[in-house]
Amino acid sequence: MKTIRVGIVGGRGYVGGELLRLLLFHPRVEVTCVTSRRSAGEYVYREHPNLRKLTSLKFEDVNLSRIGDKCDVVFTAVPHGAAMDIVYECYEMGLRVIDLSADYRLKNPEDYKYWYGFEHKHPDLLEKSVYGLPELHRNEIRNARIVANPGCMACAAILALYPLLRELEVDRSRIVVDCKEGSSAGGAEVSRATHHPERSNVVRPYKVTEHRHTAEIEQELSAATGAPVRIAMSAHAVDMVRGILATCHVFLEEELDDERVLWKIYRKYYADEPFIRIVKEKRGISRLPDPKFVVGTNFCDVGFEYEKRTSRVVALAAVDNLMKGAAGQAVQNFNIMCGIEETCGLMYPGLHPI
Amino acid sequence: MKTIRVGIVGGRGYVGGELLRLLLFHPRVEVTCVTSRRSAGEYVYREHPNLRKLTSLKFEDVNLSRIGDKCDVVFTAVPHGAAMDIVYECYEMGLRVIDLSADYRLKNPEDYKYWYGFEHKHPDLLEKSVYGLPELHRNEIRNARIVANPGCMACAAILALYPLLRELEVDRSRIVVDCKEGSSAGGAEVSRATHHPERSNVVRPYKVTEHRHTAEIEQELSAATGAPVRIAMSAHAVDMVRGILATCHVFLEEELDDERVLWKIYRKYYADEPFIRIVKEKRGISRLPDPKFVVGTNFCDVGFEYEKRTSRVVALAAVDNLMKGAAGQAVQNFNIMCGIEETCGLMYPGLHPI
Amino acid sequence: MKTIRVGIVGGRGYVGGELLRLLLFHPRVEVTCVTSRRSAGEYVYREHPNLRKLTSLKFEDVNLSRIGDKCDVVFTAVPHGAAMDIVYECYEMGLRVIDLSADYRLKNPEDYKYWYGFEHKHPDLLEKSVYGLPELHRNEIRNARIVANPGCMACAAILALYPLLRELEVDRSRIVVDCKEGSSAGGAEVSRATHHPERSNVVRPYKVTEHRHTAEIEQELSAATGAPVRIAMSAHAVDMVRGILATCHVFLEEELDDERVLWKIYRKYYADEPFIRIVKEKRGISRLPDPKFVVGTNFCDVGFEYEKRTSRVVALAAVDNLMKGAAGQAVQNFNIMCGIEETCGLMYPGLHPI
Amino acid sequence: MKTIRVGIVGGRGYVGGELLRLLLFHPRVEVTCVTSRRSAGEYVYREHPNLRKLTSLKFEDVNLSRIGDKCDVVFTAVPHGAAMDIVYECYEMGLRVIDLSADYRLKNPEDYKYWYGFEHKHPDLLEKSVYGLPELHRNEIRNARIVANPGCMACAAILALYPLLRELEVDRSRIVVDCKEGSSAGGAEVSRATHHPERSNVVRPYKVTEHRHTAEIEQELSAATGAPVRIAMSAHAVDMVRGILATCHVFLEEELDDERVLWKIYRKYYADEPFIRIVKEKRGISRLPDPKFVVGTNFCDVGFEYEKRTSRVVALAAVDNLMKGAAGQAVQNFNIMCGIEETCGLMYPGLHPI
């Protein structure tokens, strides 16, 4: 089988490092290039000490035409705004691109003004890009030239809500998505807010209204369920490094006889999904999704409970923000795009305890 | 000024220990008795090592008639169900009681069947007891014979929501209270779920429907605002020892011109409250309530944000579950009951960083 | 290539779970049996939720003759004392055994009385067992019938000290080994000491003299370096789940010209070792061994510094106590015993950040 | 009683904040001035959110002559090197100064070249300053014009070792001091090394040789015990915010009959010390010193164990690096200097659990 040559633009951050971890050990991949302006010439293990003794790869400065020569597929892991042109140029060179920024996730160029405060420079490419959530768009991903990898919280929220909104009558304007996330989701840049003495022991509400991931959640769930959805989202920083839990509170317009209805709904959509586990137990140490149990893995654990008193379903999803929430998802998309077994290079089981 | 003799029934747990910490240093108090069946005869510092070198007090076995002789006021910090008779007997002996269990919080005896699964043995006492939230019931607390100290999450949720529900038209059947809490809220009893390797790095949804504190939140907010309120509550265990954050999502029936309306509302109710701080800043390391900044203190930090898109107010409250959520609140109630300056023995400023 | 049938006796604890994680995905292994008295009949993923959706294996009750039928190699992961007879019986049935308890580590039966307080029941087997540290005993491990897997702290301390004691004149009676370890090293049994509120935020000295691992460190280093060694060991519990750092303070009898001498010494012994990395950098975020960077991996990171003022070498080693300190080491030994590539099933790179 | 006017130079950092916390509530003190170049004009609670609602004090720019007018005593909490001139000028203005930097701790100007790499500009002042450890220098502190507050690790190490070196024959050239410390000890300045994802879950050896606090430990213990002492010190960053544990390994030249000898020795020196607790229990959750139990307090918990096999005493001391290791110590010194009850404003008992 042919080895696929891949490049990583923006390899210094946490997402870039996670891509390296996965792709260096992927049996079908050769990483031919990883870029970092700031660390060009440096061994990658200096930024990602987990790779010490495992690779002699070095960071290169960004040179897109060289990347065009050396790569079949490019992963872009640069900040929002910075990816816009890079993806465009790679696309123009005929490369296939998996973009881990938000720059190609939204279909409506106007949304970039509202949510990100910039004018999109390549609005025509937006419709060509595919939102890279295999559970919703597997078929389109196969042939996509540009895959826009979902935001970490969006990924969790959509996967928690999708079956529910497809199958039940719910109050679509009062869906609450209350997220809790670890510090790695904020990236590798230091600030007072991420200084260990300040960032420890917090439950810090940091974006309780107007969270940008709202845009993609509403876009995807509205499209997938055939009717507009409004998401009331809030995010909190908690004291852990990796992981996201999305707690979604959904009010039903109908009464359920039984929680088993929910089991049936979730099984219908996810029973065959390789990276979704339904977690709902009556005993034991893991009864509902918890990011603790997905650290380092590509799993999205999904669970739910029904409260008749309030006509509410609480739908929960846990992901590792760097894996199913970013790099793992990207590799899953890569496998689909390249016709490789979808789980290839991704079946790491996680650690217990951690 | 006369010293008041107090007893603590159930001094071995974390709430009992916190009561000791506060009452041993309270200038108007003499702790004449602290009980623990399991640790009778043992120095209290063995269970509460922070008190080492600070007291030679020992635990006694429970003997209510001796308590009647030695105490003017009794704090009961025993499990739900176990307090029912103890409070009754103390009451019959003419003592004033501050009960930190749930046994006297609910007014309707039926509620105990639904939420706690037991028949209340002294239903006539329920109407005599006062719900010990000074911000709502200060005047009744003054002369109360029995004060039922609020549940830790209930305290946070009620204080976050109260001004809002008093002053604005909201959807009273779709109020979401999403709580995050530290491990000390689970008490001192060990289990697999609280074993450090299992309890670390979690965001564990542990009571996402039918949380018992719902009952008192609905009771108090319905009564205080003159109309029934339905609360959709969920709780999560996070990796910290002390603290609770209640994130309350409230959908308005009206549109606000401006967030300043909310400022005005919260100031109206809380500007003069000694233990409530409104936390809402545009910059700095502490912009909204975060339990990190109330650890060890009796403060309840309250904040809010308005999202016009979803007609939503996010109201937040942070407390230390052992302080304003339990022992600190109890001492505040005690001060009110005894005509002492309300802040006496409670003005500890907290630590930064912690 | 032939699949090797393995059994795990004592699969419910953390070491047992880690063995499962490794062996279920080991390309040459079939796990035919995993026992647990307490959880017999239960799916293994209920105790080890990281394995959910990855195996339908169930725990069985312990039945050694059945194990004899179904297994070629047995891993015993039961408490000290309990392994003694199980290993003996497996040995008598002709199985090869890798024992993760301390029961076959010490050569001198007297040592069991002093350090463990019991009389060894099969002292003749002690000389037949091989101490399973490949860096010292690779050749003997190949043909061993019984491999005694090292203690987690012993593994770190020996690997830090071995090259130094082989090559330099040191004060052999004043070697200090100061260890710091995570909570998973204490196992899955709950107690007040491991209760999350008590076990968080600690630097708890818990075995500052007479630590049992001293016995095997002294035994191995004395034998390997041809002269008796006395180890002054102390252990501390710190607030993390996985990992051990051994800080070894060694006073030299000679003066070094230069730290490069140490580089040379460590490279001599470890340059070709697949699971030892020398970590010693002048810049970057990982300059000396730190358990953070070996979590989930089979690496032992080793580093050192020389202080001329005090004629001291500080030798450091970091391992994941469940991996190179237990299950990973056991699988490395298994690979050697079975003539499989030594790194097979073990080349997981770890996570950054974590 | 007269109120003492105090100023804090360098009030923005963690030590400055802790001084504010203590001095604002000190019954004999008025804080007339707190400086910060970077935050001049800003409310102090913005940097120290624990002080919100408790003070309307603002930071001022540094103006020493104004400080001279407004203050009787000045606390300097600025970086090493920066304090040198400020202390000198305050001294020249006739103020009494408590300096929390290292600039006046060492008696021998040469030591500043070796350990800190600078030439001291006011070497004549060094002999006028008193090393501010009350347990060793209480009488000199009473009349001191300049008190040099000890380094946090030095404080712990000296208090652990002092009685031992006074009373027993030990190997004075092979004393190992192995320290573990929380992130607040590194101060409020951000860096990659203190970024939460990098600083979490570490046991990071960060200064394993040539730690600067060695200088003051050797100076003080040599002077106090009448013979030169050589300290082999190593420091490690662990995952907690506040606290230091110093584990001191001391080899005896004589054999002890019994550990009770050590009890006697430690009691002789510390039984009457208000802020030293001897922690040595056979059972319970706190058997030896652990920083967990001194967080927020001015206690130094001291403990010990004797290991006959290695002729070793392990002496342990735990402090909160911002309290007995810095600001609390400074206020204790202040109380002594001003003839105030030594424990005034400092008898906070700490929290359990935390």
Side-chain angles (χ1 to χ4, degrees):
Chain A
M1 282 181 300
K2 208 174 118 264
T3 290
I4 300 155
R5 302 170 308 155
V6 313
I8 299 166
V9 178
R12 190 180 183 268
Y14 292 147
V15 171
E18 197 75 346
L19 284 168
L20 274 166
R21 174 174 82 86
L22 296 171
L23 293 169
L24 286 171
F25 295 88
H26 193 293
R28 297 291 305 283
V29 163
E30 184 193 1
V31 179
T32 56
C33 169
V34 53
T35 77
S36 163
R37 285 212 165 80
R38 224 183 319 173
S39 296
E42 191 74 274
Y43 285 109
V44 299
Y45 83 80
R46 290 216 188 247
E47 290 298 325
H48 309 300
N50 56 325
L51 302 178
R52 197 192 309 258
K53 203 170 175 167
L54 299 171
T55 178
S56 55
L57 202 64
K58 287 183 173 178
F59 291 112
E60 303 177 18
D61 206 345
V62 188
N63 180 328
L64 289 185
S65 64
R66 270 196 82 218
I67 290 171
D69 291 344
K70 290 162 63 176
C71 302
D72 305 309
V73 180
V74 172
F75 293 79
T76 46
V78 297
H80 305 318
M84 218 185 301
D85 285 340
I86 296 172
V87 170
Y88 171 77
E89 290 180 48
C90 290
Y91 176 84
E92 289 291 311
M93 288 191 292
L95 298 170
R96 298 179 83 181
V97 188
I98 298 166
D99 178 32
L100 289 100
S101 84
D103 288 359
Y104 288 87
R105 288 180 199 153
L106 305 182
K107 296 303 170 195
N108 183 347
E110 293 304 308
D111 282 350
Y112 281 99
K113 285 181 208 152
Y114 182 84
W115 291 100
Y116 290 88
F118 60 65
E119 188 92 31
H120 205 286
K121 292 198 263 178
H122 310 288
D124 45 315
L125 272 194
L126 293 179
E127 64 191 37
K128 295 212 170 78
S129 85
V130 176
Y131 191 76
L133 197 57
E135 292 78 5
L136 273 73
H137 300 291
R138 187 170 278 112
N139 280 329
E140 303 149 81
I141 293 166
R142 282 189 224 287
N143 301 306
R145 294 273 310 279
I146 301 173
V147 166
N149 218 56
C152 53
M153 273 183 269
C155 167
I158 294 168
L159 291 174
L161 291 168
Y162 170 60
L164 216 56
L165 300 198
R166 289 274 293 194
E167 300 289 327
L168 294 176
E169 290 302 310
V170 314
D171 181 344
R172 290 177 161 255
S173 64
R174 293 187 175 173
I175 298 170
V176 170
V177 174
D178 190 293
C179 291
K180 298 87 182 164
E181 81 176 8
S183 60
S184 65
E189 291 305 312
V190 310
S191 75
R192 182 78 187 275
T194 66
H195 189 48
H196 183 274
E198 303 297 343
R199 182 63 178 73
S200 294
N201 294 316
V202 300
V203 183
R204 182 196 290 163
Y206 78 92
K207 195 73 193 162
V208 295
T209 59
E210 301 288 319
H211 193 290
R212 285 165 166 185
H213 286 187
T214 308
E216 48 189 287
I217 301 171
E218 292 186 349
Q219 166 185 292
E220 292 299 312
L221 289 177
S222 297
T225 65
V229 169
R230 205 161 64 198
I231 298 293
M233 185 173 179
S234 295
H236 306 76
V238 296
D239 192 353
M240 64 181 176
V241 173
R242 283 180 180 235
I244 285 175
L245 182 77
T247 309
C248 307
H249 306 267
V250 179
F251 295 98
L252 304 188
E253 304 284 15
E254 52 187 322
E255 191 165 292
L256 299 185
D257 297 333
D258 200 308
E259 239 181 29
R260 275 173 292 183
V261 176
L262 297 175
W263 266 109
K264 209 170 147 187
I265 289 173
Y266 278 92
R267 279 216 193 92
K268 174 174 170 186
Y269 288 87
Y270 294 148
D272 297 329
E273 282 297 336
F275 290 115
I276 297 192
R277 298 187 293 200
I278 299 176
V279 179
K280 183 164 176 55
E281 309 269 355
K282 289 207 168 57
R283 58 205 168 82
I285 51 172
S286 165
R287 303 183 192 186
L288 285 170
D290 181 341
K292 180 181 180 81
F293 294 112
V294 296
V295 169
T297 83
N298 200 46
F299 289 112
C300 176
D301 284 356
V302 171
F304 46 83
E305 266 188 33
Y306 173 56
E307 186 178 53
K308 188 168 267 184
R309 263 186 75 257
T310 58
S311 307
R312 176 176 56 135
V313 174
V314 183
L316 300 138
V319 297
D320 179 333
N321 52 293
L322 296 176
M323 287 294 296
K324 185 69 176 170
Q329 181 85 280
V331 173
Q332 186 180 355
N333 285 325
F334 167 84
N335 287 342
I336 295 169
M337 290 163 82
C338 299
I340 301 169
E341 173 67 40
E342 194 166 328
T343 58
C344 185
L346 286 171
M347 280 314 282
Y348 171 67
L351 300 169
H352 175 245
I354 191 165
Chain B
M1 281 184 299
K2 208 175 117 265
T3 290
I4 300 157
R5 301 168 310 155
V6 313
I8 300 168
V9 178
R12 190 180 182 266
Y14 292 147
V15 171
E18 197 75 347
L19 284 168
L20 274 168
R21 173 175 81 86
L22 296 171
L23 293 169
L24 285 171
F25 295 89
H26 192 293
R28 298 290 305 283
V29 163
E30 183 192 2
V31 179
T32 56
C33 169
V34 53
T35 78
S36 163
R37 284 212 167 80
R38 225 185 316 175
S39 297
E42 190 75 274
Y43 285 109
V44 299
Y45 83 82
R46 291 219 187 243
E47 289 299 325
H48 308 300
N50 56 325
L51 301 180
R52 198 190 309 257
K53 202 172 176 167
L54 299 171
T55 177
S56 54
L57 202 64
K58 288 182 173 181
F59 291 113
E60 303 176 19
D61 205 346
V62 188
N63 181 329
L64 290 184
S65 64
R66 269 196 83 217
I67 290 171
D69 290 344
K70 288 161 66 178
C71 303
D72 305 309
V73 180
V74 172
F75 294 79
T76 46
V78 297
H80 306 317
M84 217 184 300
D85 284 341
I86 297 173
V87 170
Y88 170 77
E89 290 180 49
C90 289
Y91 176 84
E92 290 291 310
M93 289 191 291
L95 298 170
R96 299 180 83 181
V97 188
I98 299 167
D99 178 31
L100 290 100
S101 83
D103 288 359
Y104 288 86
R105 289 180 198 152
L106 306 182
K107 295 304 170 195
N108 183 347
E110 294 303 308
D111 283 349
Y112 281 99
K113 285 180 209 153
Y114 182 84
W115 292 100
Y116 289 88
F118 60 65
E119 189 91 31
H120 204 287
K121 292 197 263 177
H122 310 288
D124 46 314
L125 271 194
L126 293 179
E127 64 191 37
K128 296 212 171 78
S129 85
V130 175
Y131 190 75
L133 197 57
E135 292 78 6
L136 272 73
H137 300 291
R138 187 170 279 112
N139 280 330
E140 302 149 80
I141 293 166
R142 282 188 225 287
N143 301 306
R145 295 273 310 278
I146 300 172
V147 165
N149 217 57
C152 53
M153 274 183 267
C155 166
I158 296 169
L159 291 174
L161 290 168
Y162 170 59
L164 215 56
L165 300 198
R166 290 274 293 194
E167 301 288 327
L168 294 176
E169 290 302 312
V170 314
D171 181 345
R172 291 177 161 254
S173 64
R174 293 186 176 173
I175 297 170
V176 171
V177 173
D178 190 294
C179 290
K180 298 87 182 165
E181 81 175 8
S183 58
S184 65
E189 290 306 313
V190 310
S191 75
R192 183 79 187 273
T194 66
H195 190 48
H196 183 273
E198 304 298 342
R199 184 62 179 71
S200 294
N201 294 315
V202 300
V203 183
R204 181 195 293 163
Y206 77 93
K207 196 72 192 163
V208 295
T209 58
E210 301 287 321
H211 193 291
R212 285 167 167 183
H213 287 184
T214 309
E216 48 190 287
I217 302 172
E218 292 186 349
Q219 166 185 293
E220 291 301 311
L221 289 177
S222 297
T225 65
V229 169
R230 206 162 62 197
I231 298 293
M233 186 172 178
S234 295
H236 306 75
V238 297
D239 192 354
M240 64 181 178
V241 174
R242 282 180 181 235
I244 285 174
L245 183 76
T247 309
C248 307
H249 306 267
V250 179
F251 294 99
L252 303 187
E253 304 285 15
E254 53 186 322
E255 192 166 289
L256 300 185
D257 297 333
D258 199 308
E259 239 180 29
R260 274 173 293 183
V261 175
L262 297 175
W263 266 110
K264 210 171 146 186
I265 288 172
Y266 278 92
R267 279 215 192 92
K268 174 174 169 186
Y269 289 86
Y270 293 148
D272 298 330
E273 282 298 336
F275 290 115
I276 296 192
R277 300 188 291 199
I278 300 175
V279 178
K280 183 166 176 53
E281 307 271 354
K282 289 209 167 55
R283 59 205 169 81
I285 51 172
S286 165
R287 302 182 193 188
L288 285 170
D290 181 341
K292 181 183 179 81
F293 295 111
V294 295
V295 169
T297 83
N298 199 46
F299 289 112
C300 175
D301 283 355
V302 171
F304 45 82
E305 265 188 34
Y306 173 55
E307 186 177 53
K308 187 169 267 182
R309 261 186 78 258
T310 58
S311 306
R312 177 177 55 136
V313 174
V314 183
L316 301 138
V319 297
D320 179 332
N321 51 292
L322 296 176
M323 287 293 296
K324 185 68 176 171
Q329 181 84 280
V331 173
Q332 186 180 355
N333 285 324
F334 167 84
N335 288 341
I336 295 170
M337 289 163 83
C338 299
I340 301 170
E341 173 68 40
E342 194 167 329
T343 58
C344 186
L346 286 171
M347 280 313 282
Y348 172 66
L351 300 169
H352 176 246
I354 190 164
Chain C
M1 281 182 300
K2 208 173 118 264
T3 290
I4 300 156
R5 300 170 310 155
V6 313
I8 300 167
V9 177
R12 189 180 183 268
Y14 291 147
V15 171
E18 197 74 347
L19 284 168
L20 274 168
R21 173 174 82 85
L22 297 170
L23 293 169
L24 286 172
F25 295 89
H26 192 293
R28 297 291 307 283
V29 163
E30 184 193 0
V31 179
T32 56
C33 169
V34 53
T35 78
S36 163
R37 284 211 167 81
R38 222 182 322 171
S39 296
E42 190 75 273
Y43 285 108
V44 298
Y45 83 82
R46 290 216 188 245
E47 289 300 324
H48 309 299
N50 56 325
L51 301 179
R52 196 191 309 258
K53 203 171 175 168
L54 299 171
T55 177
S56 54
L57 202 64
K58 287 182 174 181
F59 292 112
E60 303 176 19
D61 206 345
V62 188
N63 180 328
L64 288 185
S65 65
R66 269 196 83 214
I67 291 172
D69 290 342
K70 289 161 65 177
C71 303
D72 306 310
V73 180
V74 172
F75 294 79
T76 45
V78 297
H80 306 317
M84 217 183 301
D85 285 341
I86 296 172
V87 170
Y88 171 76
E89 290 180 48
C90 290
Y91 176 84
E92 289 291 309
M93 288 190 291
L95 298 171
R96 300 179 81 182
V97 187
I98 299 167
D99 178 31
L100 290 100
S101 84
D103 288 359
Y104 288 87
R105 290 180 197 153
L106 304 182
K107 296 302 171 198
N108 184 346
E110 294 303 309
D111 282 348
Y112 281 99
K113 285 181 209 152
Y114 181 83
W115 291 100
Y116 290 88
F118 60 65
E119 189 91 32
H120 205 286
K121 292 197 263 177
H122 310 288
D124 45 315
L125 272 195
L126 293 179
E127 65 191 35
K128 295 212 170 77
S129 87
V130 176
Y131 191 76
L133 197 57
E135 292 78 6
L136 273 72
H137 299 293
R138 187 170 278 112
N139 280 329
E140 302 149 80
I141 293 166
R142 282 189 224 285
N143 302 306
R145 294 272 310 280
I146 300 173
V147 166
N149 217 57
C152 53
M153 274 183 267
C155 167
I158 294 169
L159 292 174
L161 290 168
Y162 171 58
L164 215 55
L165 301 198
R166 289 275 292 195
E167 301 287 329
L168 294 176
E169 290 301 313
V170 315
D171 181 344
R172 289 175 162 256
S173 64
R174 294 188 175 172
I175 297 171
V176 171
V177 174
D178 190 295
C179 291
K180 297 88 182 163
E181 80 175 9
S183 59
S184 65
E189 290 306 312
V190 310
S191 75
R192 182 79 187 273
T194 66
H195 189 48
H196 183 274
E198 303 299 342
R199 183 63 179 71
S200 294
N201 294 315
V202 300
V203 183
R204 182 195 292 162
Y206 77 92
K207 196 74 191 158
V208 296
T209 60
E210 300 287 323
H211 193 290
R212 287 166 166 184
H213 287 185
T214 308
E216 47 189 290
I217 302 171
E218 292 186 349
Q219 166 185 290
E220 292 300 313
L221 289 176
S222 297
T225 65
V229 170
R230 205 162 62 198
I231 298 294
M233 186 171 178
S234 295
H236 306 75
V238 296
D239 192 353
M240 65 182 178
V241 173
R242 282 180 183 237
I244 285 174
L245 183 76
T247 309
C248 308
H249 306 267
V250 179
F251 294 98
L252 304 187
E253 304 284 14
E254 52 187 323
E255 190 166 292
L256 299 186
D257 297 333
D258 199 307
E259 238 180 30
R260 274 172 296 185
V261 176
L262 297 174
W263 266 109
K264 210 171 147 186
I265 288 172
Y266 279 92
R267 279 215 193 90
K268 174 174 170 187
Y269 289 85
Y270 293 148
D272 298 329
E273 282 297 337
F275 290 114
I276 297 192
R277 300 188 291 200
I278 300 176
V279 178
K280 183 165 175 54
E281 309 270 355
K282 290 207 166 58
R283 58 203 168 83
I285 51 172
S286 165
R287 302 181 192 189
L288 284 170
D290 181 341
K292 180 183 180 81
F293 294 111
V294 295
V295 169
T297 84
N298 199 45
F299 289 112
C300 176
D301 284 356
V302 171
F304 45 82
E305 266 187 35
Y306 174 56
E307 185 177 56
K308 188 168 267 183
R309 262 185 75 258
T310 58
S311 308
R312 176 176 56 135
V313 174
V314 183
L316 300 137
V319 297
D320 180 334
N321 51 294
L322 295 176
M323 286 293 298
K324 184 70 174 170
Q329 181 85 283
V331 173
Q332 186 180 355
N333 285 325
F334 167 84
N335 288 341
I336 295 169
M337 290 163 82
C338 299
I340 301 171
E341 172 68 40
E342 193 166 330
T343 58
C344 186
L346 286 171
M347 280 313 281
Y348 171 67
L351 299 170
H352 176 245
I354 193 167
Chain D
M1 283 183 298
K2 208 175 118 260
T3 290
I4 300 156
R5 301 169 311 155
V6 313
I8 300 166
V9 178
R12 189 180 184 268
Y14 291 148
V15 171
E18 197 74 346
L19 285 168
L20 274 168
R21 172 174 83 86
L22 297 171
L23 294 168
L24 285 171
F25 295 88
H26 193 293
R28 297 290 306 282
V29 163
E30 183 192 3
V31 179
T32 56
C33 169
V34 52
T35 78
S36 163
R37 283 208 167 83
R38 222 182 322 172
S39 296
E42 190 75 273
Y43 284 108
V44 300
Y45 83 81
R46 290 215 188 249
E47 289 300 324
H48 309 299
N50 57 325
L51 301 179
R52 196 191 310 258
K53 203 172 175 166
L54 298 171
T55 177
S56 54
L57 202 64
K58 288 182 173 180
F59 291 112
E60 303 177 17
D61 206 346
V62 188
N63 180 328
L64 289 184
S65 65
R66 270 196 83 215
I67 290 170
D69 290 343
K70 290 161 63 176
C71 304
D72 305 309
V73 180
V74 172
F75 294 79
T76 47
V78 298
H80 305 318
M84 216 185 300
D85 284 341
I86 295 172
V87 170
Y88 170 77
E89 290 179 50
C90 289
Y91 176 84
E92 289 292 310
M93 289 190 290
L95 298 170
R96 300 180 82 181
V97 188
I98 298 167
D99 178 31
L100 289 101
S101 83
D103 288 0
Y104 288 87
R105 290 180 198 153
L106 306 182
K107 296 302 171 199
N108 183 347
E110 293 304 308
D111 282 348
Y112 280 99
K113 285 181 209 152
Y114 181 83
W115 291 99
Y116 290 88
F118 60 66
E119 189 91 34
H120 205 286
K121 293 197 263 178
H122 310 287
D124 46 315
L125 272 195
L126 293 179
E127 65 191 36
K128 296 212 170 77
S129 86
V130 175
Y131 190 77
L133 196 57
E135 291 78 5
L136 273 72
H137 301 291
R138 185 169 279 113
N139 279 330
E140 301 149 83
I141 292 166
R142 283 188 224 286
N143 302 305
R145 294 274 309 279
I146 300 174
V147 167
N149 217 59
C152 52
M153 273 183 268
C155 166
I158 295 168
L159 291 174
L161 291 168
Y162 171 60
L164 215 56
L165 301 197
R166 290 275 292 193
E167 300 288 329
L168 294 175
E169 290 302 311
V170 315
D171 181 344
R172 290 176 161 255
S173 64
R174 296 190 173 170
I175 298 170
V176 171
V177 174
D178 190 293
C179 291
K180 298 87 181 162
E181 81 175 9
S183 59
S184 66
E189 291 305 312
V190 310
S191 75
R192 182 79 187 272
T194 65
H195 189 48
H196 183 273
E198 304 298 342
R199 183 63 178 72
S200 294
N201 295 314
V202 300
V203 183
R204 183 195 291 162
Y206 77 92
K207 196 75 192 160
V208 295
T209 59
E210 300 288 321
H211 193 290
R212 285 166 167 184
H213 288 184
T214 308
E216 48 190 289
I217 302 171
E218 292 185 349
Q219 166 185 292
E220 291 299 314
L221 289 177
S222 298
T225 64
V229 169
R230 204 162 64 196
I231 298 293
M233 185 173 178
S234 295
H236 307 75
V238 296
D239 192 354
M240 65 180 177
V241 173
R242 283 182 182 235
I244 285 174
L245 183 77
T247 310
C248 307
H249 306 266
V250 179
F251 295 97
L252 303 187
E253 304 284 14
E254 52 187 323
E255 191 166 291
L256 299 186
D257 297 332
D258 199 309
E259 239 180 31
R260 275 172 294 185
V261 176
L262 298 175
W263 266 109
K264 209 172 147 185
I265 288 173
Y266 279 92
R267 278 216 193 90
K268 173 174 171 186
Y269 289 86
Y270 294 148
D272 298 330
E273 282 298 338
F275 290 115
I276 296 191
R277 299 187 293 199
I278 300 176
V279 178
K280 184 165 174 55
E281 308 271 355
K282 290 208 167 56
R283 58 203 168 84
I285 51 173
S286 165
R287 302 182 193 189
L288 285 170
D290 181 340
K292 180 182 180 81
F293 294 111
V294 295
V295 169
T297 83
N298 199 47
F299 289 111
C300 176
D301 284 356
V302 172
F304 45 83
E305 267 187 32
Y306 173 56
E307 186 178 53
K308 188 168 267 182
R309 261 186 74 258
T310 59
S311 305
R312 176 177 56 136
V313 174
V314 183
L316 301 136
V319 296
D320 179 333
N321 52 292
L322 295 176
M323 286 293 297
K324 185 68 176 171
Q329 181 86 281
V331 172
Q332 186 180 355
N333 285 324
F334 167 85
N335 287 341
I336 296 169
M337 290 163 82
C338 298
I340 301 170
E341 173 67 40
E342 194 166 328
T343 58
C344 186
L346 286 172
M347 280 313 281
Y348 172 67
L351 299 170
H352 175 247
I354 192 167

